[in-house]
Amino acid sequence: MTILNKLVSHNLLASLILASIIQPGLANDSLAEGLWLTSGDITVTDIPTLAQAPAEDTQEIEEESEEGEEEEEEEDTLRIVVTATRTEESVLDVPRSVTVIDREQIQQQRQFTNNLPDILGQLVPGLGPPTLQSSTRNLSLRGRSALILIDGVPQNPNSGFNTELNHIDPDVIERIEIVRGPSAVYGDGATGGIINIITRAATDKPVAYEFEVNTSVGLTSIEDDSFGYGIQIGAAGSDERSNIRAMLSYDVTNAQFDADGDRIPFNRSADTDRLGFLAKLGHEFTDQQRIGLTYSFYNENLANTSFISDRSILEIPGLQKARAIDITNIEYEEEPELTTHVANLTYTHDNLLSSQFDTQLYFRDTELAQRFSDIRGRGRPLFNPQLFQTALDSSEWGARAQFDTSFSDSFSLLWGADYGQEDNERLVLVLDVPTFEATNTLNVADVANQTPTYDLETLGLFAQATWDISDQWQLSGGLRYDEFDVSVKDTVLAFRRNADDIRRGGDISADDVSFNAGLIYKPVPEIGLFASFSQGFSIPDIGLSAGTRLPTDVDISTDVELSPQQVDNFEVGVRAELEQVQASLSGFYNESSLGTNLQVGPDGFTDVVRAPQRNYGVEATLDWQPSDLWRLGGYFSWNEGESDNNDDGDFLALSGLQVQPYKVGVYLENDTAPGWTNRLQLLGVGGRDRAFDDGVDAFDIDGYVTLDLLSSIQLGDGQLTVGVQNLLNNQYLPLSSQERVRGTEDRRFAAPGINLNIGYSIEF
């Protein structure tokens, strides 16, 4: 019996939820703004009209208008988050470490890069530093994987190519909420934390337009193809009950050059063009019922160059940086590109069964074809592809429903269910070698499987209680039940040891209960001390583990490599939200009896190891506004980790793929003149050699420092911005390149040198 059948047939909680969804009168329901409130899609400060008061309180609020205005002013100063608890909360009421990146910060970083992994790596403590590539491979959160959401819709395929942060253009993002540490609230994949990307809200104006253009160039080698450019246009409008927003963006990142003026080979950051589109519709049928629809499209073209990385550097003794060579124009039958569609239907009822009810139905489709790989003459068996493209075809649909029930002014219960079904195929497009040698054309001769094909079904049931014991003390806690069913098909793999190898399939089932508890103490309203315990539960990459890692004669339903992991996390901290100072300090420790550890072997290739694992660290943030003209602050994060690979009680350092060195971010902003603001930001990444010394990694990590400058000035009705990235033209290799040794040395991409970006934006 499938999970869905179990949900419908045997679970009273789910039956109640489904009955609520399909009750009569649904056609008259609504969800203003096209956003799912509890997945982190709106805040009371985004659209004040959506923070509706209960009907019985409306008259009282109208009579006390002056008091209401004072409350609204106070509310505007609060930072409201929803991702940590799936409901609206002030950051001071969340017993977890939370980072909120608002639209202003995103737009600032957008003047340096359009690559979302780099924006997050620059700003978020506990997250790996910027990869300078369109990949999350080295972007772990506190040493573990993060669950990526867009308006609450999961973006992480169970088996993929680390592209989940490149499913949306930064220009359509309202804010990003990051919950650091394992979560028992959202379920699978959140063992490192949650990154919830929240798209642009509507406008309170009848109609509004926005327009932006920008151009960029590397100053170490100004050539025709080193100029990049972008354009963004958008429109939004609203009336008493409905609202709409539509945005279109297109940008081209051409050739990049390092600080020495050498061209950087294609690395999925340079030599790409991106097209993004977002449309949102929302309507309020009544004061209590709202419905909305969001659709986003994102396409990243990966074939905008004839330059590739020169593999001849592998023959040179010592470590080399990657070197670009031009192999003239190549014609692809299957163009290298990433395309993602996300559709999200949401509904909210403010008073259903005496509760706030939120539900969501979503669909995500991701298709990826990568640039070609050539392994001719490298000793691989001839029945393996010699010239090929790897590809991904992944789709997921799911539903979420929850009730937020208040039993009193001080006690509430959040309860509900999540369901998802995912189909995954990691393919190999086998290319015709004779045609390529004759015409430089890459025709697809056959399609094979890189990993076994499988279907994944998930179910989560949860309940979360919050008790405001007093004005100073708050206690919260809850549990979540997760169940996974996987059906793996028999598969002949493209890369196999013997010509007649067949990877046997089978069924995998796993379930467990995760707990969380948190305590907050506020000695004064602006300062909160917190302590929490939280568990995270996830299953490994089924495609990778059932394919390249397991012998053909292993029963996948019982093999340890396919077993789920549960992470226990302990955290303590303090947070202050004062008028001129916002600060936080936290420490964490987490452990799992069966972690999923990545490590780079002597040959330079990555292996997956399942073994006991522990992670720990410290994070601190500070923002200070000493006057109306000055703003400064920053953060410090340090984390470490070990694993017992031989299960003998002897723990060795985790790989640099998972545990990055300490990271320091510092910024200084000044309103130099009316309408003119300057920002200087520094990022420092430390060195780390623990994993190298323990023989876990074949590389150690050298630290580096970068400095960026941003200047913006009001020009007419718009704003002119000038961003200078890598202001000191520092020559360095980002952490994502330092791991590349031996057989992957041709991916040791240097960082871009000094780069200039000029943009102009206007709203009217």
Side-chain angles (χ1 to χ4, degrees):
M1 182 179 292
T2 67
I3 287 177
L4 186 57
N5 289 333
K6 296 176 187 176
L7 177 62
V8 175
S9 302
H10 301 294
N11 190 272
L12 176 61
L13 173 62
S15 300
L16 285 173
I17 293 171
L18 290 176
S20 301
I21 295 174
I22 62 175
Q23 63 169 317
L26 180 63
N28 294 322
D29 299 338
S30 64
L31 175 61
E33 195 46 35
L35 301 173
W36 186 42
L37 176 65
T38 55
S39 70
D41 299 325
I42 59 176
T43 68
V44 293
T45 56
D46 287 334
I47 312 169
T49 58
L50 296 188
Q52 301 289 343
E56 60 269 25
D57 294 338
T58 303
Q59 184 63 37
E60 180 181 349
I61 292 177
E62 291 176 351
E63 294 173 353
E64 300 177 3
S65 58
E66 293 183 1
E67 180 181 347
E69 291 174 0
E70 293 175 0
E71 291 177 355
E72 184 176 345
E73 291 177 2
E74 179 181 353
E75 190 175 73
D76 288 340
T77 66
L78 294 176
R79 289 192 295 162
I80 304 296
V81 296
V82 293
T83 304
T85 62
R86 298 174 66 139
T87 59
E88 285 187 349
E89 296 285 355
S90 163
V91 292
L92 287 172
D93 293 330
V94 178
R96 303 289 304 274
S97 292
V98 179
T99 298
V100 180
I101 301 174
D102 59 30
R103 175 158 175 77
E104 181 181 359
Q105 293 172 291
I106 295 170
Q107 288 301 98
Q108 284 178 336
Q109 301 305 314
R110 174 66 181 82
Q111 304 310 315
F112 302 121
T113 177
N114 197 43
N115 190 32
L116 188 55
D118 293 343
I119 293 175
L120 293 174
Q122 177 76 34
L123 298 177
V124 180
L127 192 69
T131 64
L132 304 184
Q133 302 175 35
S134 298
S135 173
T136 59
R137 175 179 166 87
N138 301 91
L139 215 63
S140 65
L141 187 56
R142 289 185 170 181
R144 297 184 187 266
S145 299
L147 173 64
I148 311 297
L149 305 171
I150 297 179
D151 289 338
V153 179
Q155 301 300 305
N156 309 63
N158 174 261
S159 188
F161 291 97
N162 305 303
T163 64
E164 50 269 15
L165 277 176
N166 289 89
H167 292 176
I168 192 169
D169 192 285
D171 288 297
V172 305
I173 299 175
E174 183 74 32
R175 72 181 190 280
I176 305 173
E177 296 181 358
I178 300 96
V179 180
R180 308 197 295 275
S183 171
V185 177
Y186 279 91
D188 179 43
T191 54
I194 303 166
I195 299 175
N196 191 15
I197 300 166
I198 299 161
T199 54
R200 295 283 303 277
T203 177
D204 56 0
K205 302 177 182 178
V207 64
Y209 302 96
E210 55 189 87
F211 177 75
E212 179 180 352
V213 292
N214 61 77
T215 185
S216 62
V217 63
L219 299 182
T220 60
S221 182
I222 301 178
E223 300 182 6
D224 290 343
D225 62 348
S226 66
F227 284 87
Y229 56 90
I231 182 171
Q232 298 83 37
I233 56 176
S238 64
D239 58 21
E240 185 177 350
R241 289 292 186 182
S242 303
N243 53 72
I244 184 172
R245 176 178 289 277
M247 299 188 66
L248 181 67
S249 60
Y250 178 74
D251 72 271
V252 174
T253 303
N254 279 327
Q256 293 181 342
F257 296 83
D258 64 21
D260 293 334
D262 296 328
R263 187 179 186 124
I264 302 170
F266 172 80
N267 60 3
R268 295 203 57 216
S269 178
D271 299 307
T272 60
D273 57 278
R274 304 174 180 90
L275 175 66
F277 174 72
L278 174 74
K280 305 184 76 167
L281 299 171
H283 182 70
E284 293 187 23
F285 290 111
T286 70
D287 290 341
Q288 293 186 328
Q289 299 182 72
R290 302 180 288 276
I291 193 169
L293 176 65
T294 302
Y295 168 73
S296 66
F297 167 83
Y298 187 73
N299 176 268
E300 188 174 81
N301 189 302
L302 309 176
N304 194 23
T305 182
S306 60
F307 284 86
I308 65 171
S309 189
D310 185 1
R311 289 190 61 87
S312 69
I313 66 169
L314 301 180
E315 309 301 325
I316 303 175
L319 290 175
Q320 311 295 319
K321 72 177 181 182
R323 183 171 62 196
I325 58 170
D326 190 352
I327 57 172
T328 70
N329 292 326
I330 294 177
E331 295 294 330
Y332 283 91
E333 178 182 343
E334 184 68 35
E335 286 287 330
E337 62 181 356
L338 168 67
T339 303
T340 302
H341 303 267
V342 179
N344 188 18
L345 177 66
T346 53
Y347 167 74
T348 294
H349 195 303
D350 290 342
N351 189 16
L352 181 64
L353 301 180
S354 300
S355 306
Q356 167 86 31
F357 173 67
D358 297 276
T359 188
Q360 174 184 37
L361 180 66
Y362 64 82
F363 175 76
R364 172 193 56 81
D365 180 76
T366 302
E367 294 185 1
L368 169 68
Q370 307 211 79
R371 288 167 61 88
F372 80 98
S373 296
D374 186 356
I375 60 172
R376 292 174 294 171
R378 297 182 192 167
R380 296 291 300 182
L382 293 180
F383 54 78
N384 284 183
Q386 305 295 304
L387 192 69
F388 59 90
Q389 295 173 258
T390 53
L392 173 69
D393 187 356
S394 172
S395 64
E396 178 178 2
W397 72 269
R400 289 179 171 169
Q402 67 182 44
F403 289 86
D404 187 7
T405 307
S406 294
F407 293 93
S408 68
D409 292 339
S410 60
F411 183 80
S412 63
L413 178 68
L414 180 76
W415 53 281
D418 301 331
Y419 174 81
Q421 183 167 328
E422 179 181 345
D423 299 322
N424 251 330
E425 285 187 297
R426 286 178 61 166
L427 304 172
V428 177
L429 309 181
V430 183
L431 305 175
D432 186 73
V433 174
T435 301
F436 176 70
E437 292 175 342
T439 66
N440 251 21
T441 301
L442 295 166
N443 288 336
V444 178
D446 193 14
V447 178
N449 289 89
Q450 183 181 9
T451 62
T453 300
Y454 64 96
D455 300 327
L456 170 63
E457 196 175 10
T458 63
L459 169 66
L461 305 175
F462 62 89
Q464 184 78 16
T466 301
W467 179 25
D468 294 325
I469 304 172
S470 68
D471 291 340
Q472 292 183 307
W473 291 93
Q474 182 196 83
L475 180 65
S476 61
L479 54 85
R480 180 185 176 94
Y481 170 77
D482 280 297
E483 182 177 344
F484 304 89
D485 281 344
V486 185
S487 178
V488 184
K489 300 177 176 62
D490 292 348
T491 310
V492 176
L493 299 179
F495 301 100
R496 54 193 186 278
R497 298 178 181 88
N498 302 305
D500 57 352
D501 275 354
I502 298 178
R503 189 67 52 177
R504 298 298 178 187
D507 296 328
I508 307 168
S509 296
D511 67 321
D512 211 334
V513 177
S514 303
F515 298 89
N516 73 90
L519 180 66
I520 297 175
Y521 170 64
K522 298 179 184 178
V524 295
E526 297 83 7
I527 297 177
L529 290 79
F530 63 88
S532 67
F533 168 77
S534 183
Q535 293 181 313
F537 183 61
S538 69
I539 57 175
D541 183 326
I542 299 297
L544 185 64
S545 299
T548 58
R549 303 300 171 189
L550 295 179
T552 56
D553 57 351
V554 169
D555 182 356
I556 67 171
S557 64
T558 59
D559 192 86
V560 68
E561 289 196 21
L562 291 163
S563 299
Q565 67 167 325
Q566 187 169 69
V567 180
D568 297 334
N569 183 73
F570 304 87
E571 183 173 5
V572 295
V574 59
R575 183 185 294 112
E577 293 283 319
L578 306 175
E579 184 176 355
Q580 292 181 293
V581 176
Q582 302 81 44
S584 68
L585 175 65
S586 63
F588 69 91
Y589 174 84
N590 60 60
E591 60 184 6
S592 55
S593 59
L594 190 63
T596 301
N597 312 319
L598 302 175
Q599 61 185 52
V600 178
D603 57 0
F605 294 94
T606 305
D607 294 321
V608 178
V609 178
R610 304 300 306 277
Q613 178 180 336
R614 61 194 184 198
N615 297 74
Y616 47 88
V618 176
E619 297 161 355
T621 66
L622 174 65
D623 295 279
W624 180 31
Q625 304 86 43
S627 72
D628 293 338
L629 301 180
W630 290 93
R631 296 169 296 278
L632 67 155
Y635 65 83
F636 170 80
S637 67
W638 170 85
N639 72 97
E640 260 298 346
E642 299 96 17
S643 64
D644 183 5
N645 293 351
N646 298 320
D647 203 15
D648 57 3
D650 185 15
F651 280 78
L652 301 176
L654 283 174
S655 169
L657 292 177
Q658 289 178 269
V659 176
Q660 292 84 17
Y662 70 84
K663 187 173 71 167
V664 179
V666 180
Y667 73 89
L668 175 66
E669 286 187 7
N670 173 246
D671 294 335
T672 312
W676 182 25
T677 299
N678 288 284
R679 174 187 174 97
L680 197 64
Q681 64 182 33
L682 177 145
L683 178 69
V685 179
R688 183 175 185 264
D689 55 13
R690 281 196 63 201
F692 179 78
D693 292 342
D694 285 353
V696 174
D697 284 341
F699 66 96
D700 57 4
I701 298 172
D702 295 327
Y704 50 89
V705 176
T706 64
L707 190 67
D708 305 321
L709 173 66
L710 176 67
S711 183
S712 62
I713 186 168
Q714 197 71 26
L715 194 63
D717 293 331
Q719 188 174 59
L720 177 69
T721 58
V722 178
V724 184
Q725 190 177 25
N726 197 359
L727 181 65
L728 302 181
N729 199 36
N730 184 21
Q731 175 76 353
Y732 69 97
L733 268 68
L735 187 150
S736 55
S737 293
Q738 294 189 41
E739 62 145 298
R740 300 299 188 175
V741 296
R742 309 297 191 271
T744 62
E745 197 174 329
D746 58 333
R747 302 182 197 175
R748 288 178 62 84
F749 306 116
I754 183 171
N755 187 82
L756 174 67
N757 186 299
I758 301 175
Y760 181 76
S761 61
I762 185 171
E763 297 184 11
F764 53 95

